[in-house]
Amino acid sequence: MLNIQETDNGIRVEIKVQPRSSRNQIAGEQDGALKVKLTAPPVEGEANQALIDFLARFLKLPRKNIILLRGETSRNKLIEIRAMAKEEFLLKTGQI
């Protein structure tokens, strides 16, 4: 089960990023975090920007609604997604 916290603005989700993958995709759940594979390398914030871009397109939200709160230099990140409910996120990511 994913660790998702509901906030006044939306939700906070733990994400585990796997950089340098063959394609951008959601790869399920790992240790309570949503696993996301990205083609971008983990160099100078490229993977962070790729993660925000990917989630914005995947969830059909503006980039400004996705904020990296923790984990700029780590594979384990905490993301805030504004204007989205927990149930909607779980449905879109295939976790229900």
Side-chain angles (χ1 to χ4, degrees):
M1 186 72 179
L2 290 177
N3 292 331
I4 300 176
Q5 304 165 357
E6 295 185 84
T7 67
D8 292 339
N9 297 327
I11 57 172
R12 290 183 179 179
V13 183
E14 292 181 32
I15 295 185
K16 182 170 179 75
V17 173
Q18 180 181 329
R20 290 196 173 113
S21 180
S22 59
R23 63 186 188 143
N24 294 334
Q25 66 182 3
I26 291 181
E29 180 266 340
Q30 182 177 1
D31 300 326
L34 183 69
K35 186 170 183 181
V36 178
K37 293 182 177 183
L38 299 171
T39 57
V43 179
E44 296 180 12
E46 284 185 45
N48 292 335
Q49 288 306 309
L51 175 64
I52 291 169
D53 290 342
F54 172 71
L55 289 174
R57 278 193 311 275
F58 187 84
L59 299 171
K60 296 181 173 83
L61 292 171
R63 289 183 80 243
K64 67 179 183 175
N65 285 17
I66 300 171
I67 298 132
L68 177 63
L69 298 175
R70 183 180 68 218
E72 282 196 28
T73 59
S74 170
R75 289 181 183 212
N76 298 314
K77 305 188 181 298
L78 181 63
I79 300 284
E80 182 171 274
I81 303 172
R82 294 189 176 159
M84 179 165 280
K86 180 178 178 177
E87 293 78 21
E88 182 183 3
F89 179 80
L90 291 171
L91 278 172
K92 286 188 174 189
T93 57
Q95 301 302 307
I96 287 184

